[in-house]
Amino acid sequence: VQVVESGGGLVQPGGSLRLTCTISGFSVIDYGMAWFRQAPGKGREGVGYITRGGTVTLYADSVKGRFTISRDGARNTLYLQMNDLKPEDTAMYHCASCHLGNGCALNWQSESGFENWGQGTQVTVSS
């Protein structure tokens, strides 16, 4: 299993980035998938979650309306489109897969239900 995040970088407030999570060893459509982030000195925070069926997406209140999680089964890839970025979005962003048999939707913001963490991609929002 390999999970590799990419697409991070330095962006000005109000800008956009698209993060990519490239997966090998399992299929992105067989699991609920999430993006988490961790800022320096803070705990890991759930940002967005997509259910195994792909029909439901959930977001943290802090990013709702600005971030969109999606997946491409053919490319076996998970995405996070981030618009209207703010300095408080600065963090290391990770993707992970849900390992709970009933899915992670009920408690998706808890990292305990997830595995197959990548190394992360750094997002810095600054002028």
Side-chain angles (χ1 to χ4, degrees):
V1 172
Q2 190 173 25
V3 175
V4 179
E5 300 93 341
S6 61
L10 174 64
V11 63
Q12 292 186 341
S16 298
L17 285 173
R18 188 176 79 157
L19 305 185
T20 298
C21 175
T22 304
I23 297 161
S24 60
F26 67 93
S27 175
V28 71
I29 65 173
D30 287 340
Y31 297 88
M33 297 291 300
W35 284 96
F36 284 78
R37 67 186 181 186
Q38 187 165 20
K42 295 187 177 181
R44 196 169 281 176
E45 173 192 21
V47 175
Y49 175 75
I50 184 167
T51 58
R52 182 174 61 184
T55 57
V56 176
T57 54
L58 303 168
Y59 298 95
D61 288 343
S62 59
V63 308
K64 204 170 291 183
R66 300 188 297 122
F67 289 14
T68 302
I69 187 171
S70 63
R71 68 187 190 183
D72 185 330
R75 290 181 167 84
N76 211 29
T77 302
L78 181 74
Y79 301 103
L80 185 69
Q81 177 67 43
M82 306 187 296
N83 298 327
D84 190 22
L85 283 160
K86 306 176 186 299
E88 52 264 41
D89 295 318
T90 294
M92 184 71 76
Y93 284 71
H94 301 264
C95 62
S97 62
C98 173
H99 67 80
L100 301 180
N102 291 328
C104 294
L106 292 180
N107 196 24
W108 69 272
Q109 290 181 291
S110 170
E111 60 182 288
S112 64
F114 293 87
E115 61 183 2
N116 297 323
W117 296 87
Q119 291 298 307
T121 186
Q122 176 68 37
V123 172
T124 303
V125 184
S126 175
S127 55

